[in-house]
Amino acid sequence: MNLTSLLELLVKGGGVRRYHNEPLDGQTVGHHSFGVAWFCWILCDGRPTAELLYAAIHHDVAEGLVGDVPAPTKRAIAGLKLTLDKYEASVMSELGIPEPEIDDVDKRILKFADIFEGMLFCISQRHRGNKGADGVFNNFADYARSMEPTGKANEVYSTLLEIYRNVSK
């Protein structure tokens, strides 16, 4: 692994601005990944595996070289998400950074954590009076609902919905 290239990626990847096509104040991948790791911790009742936490901090860092493509765009264009995932994996591989090795249960936890962090970010935007967060929040909520959360994920999902209702009154 080339340490210089890795450190440059961490600076670039952590600093990539999210929501560049939405009326939201800037959030970086670094801020987002921090929140995703904490949601993994919450969803695992305080006992996430090290590999799941690694997946949380790993999942968007390649955007420092690849760029950020909004999730709705990835879902709308056939094959785009798979192509980007492969490209991001090759970028990380070239730097000697291995893909996280997590099972399907942890992949689902990571996906919920990713969505829940987005919902929480929208809540923070609404706390600041940004009504532009409503549509983005609803997209995240719809996506989480489509995944049929159960157990702890359903508890977190329901709590985030309640908080958002209270904030957006």
Side-chain angles (χ1 to χ4, degrees):
M1 167 177 27
N2 179 324
L3 186 56
T4 301
S5 296
L6 172 60
L7 295 176
E8 287 173 355
L9 174 63
L10 295 179
V11 169
K12 287 180 184 177
V16 170
R17 292 182 59 86
R18 295 169 45 84
Y19 306 109
H20 55 1
N21 62 331
E22 297 291 345
L24 302 178
D25 295 334
Q27 180 192 43
T28 67
V29 167
H31 295 115
H32 169 67
S33 296
F34 174 84
V36 171
W38 273 105
F39 272 108
C40 287
W41 187 86
I42 291 166
L43 292 168
C44 291
D45 291 320
R47 297 187 181 277
T49 65
E51 199 68 14
L52 178 57
L53 292 177
Y54 172 60
I57 62 171
H58 179 282
H59 84 283
D60 280 343
V61 76
E63 290 177 2
L65 298 173
V66 175
D68 180 32
V69 177
T73 302
K74 290 178 190 176
R75 287 192 291 272
I77 300 173
L80 180 60
K81 182 179 179 342
L82 180 61
T83 300
L84 284 171
D85 287 349
K86 286 180 180 177
Y87 179 49
E88 288 179 358
S90 73
V91 165
M92 298 300 274
S93 177
E94 286 175 21
L95 291 171
I97 303 169
E99 287 288 313
E101 294 183 20
I102 57 175
D103 61 20
D104 288 342
V105 172
D106 278 353
K107 285 178 185 174
R108 184 169 165 82
I109 290 169
L110 179 62
K111 192 57 165 163
F112 274 119
D114 194 26
I115 295 166
F116 293 161
E117 192 287 325
M119 292 172 74
L120 187 62
F121 180 72
C122 290
I123 289 169
S124 74
Q125 291 290 295
R126 276 306 247 139
H127 270 295
R128 293 174 178 84
N130 184 351
K131 293 181 181 182
D134 291 344
V136 179
F137 181 89
N138 290 331
N139 287 342
F140 280 123
D142 289 346
Y143 191 40
R145 185 174 32 259
S146 76
M147 291 180 58
E148 300 178 0
T150 59
K152 191 68 164 191
N154 190 52
E155 179 185 348
V156 172
Y157 175 68
S158 298
T159 301
L160 289 167
L161 289 176
E162 181 181 338
I163 292 169
Y164 200 79
R165 277 193 296 271
N166 290 333
V167 169
S168 57
K169 285 183 181 180

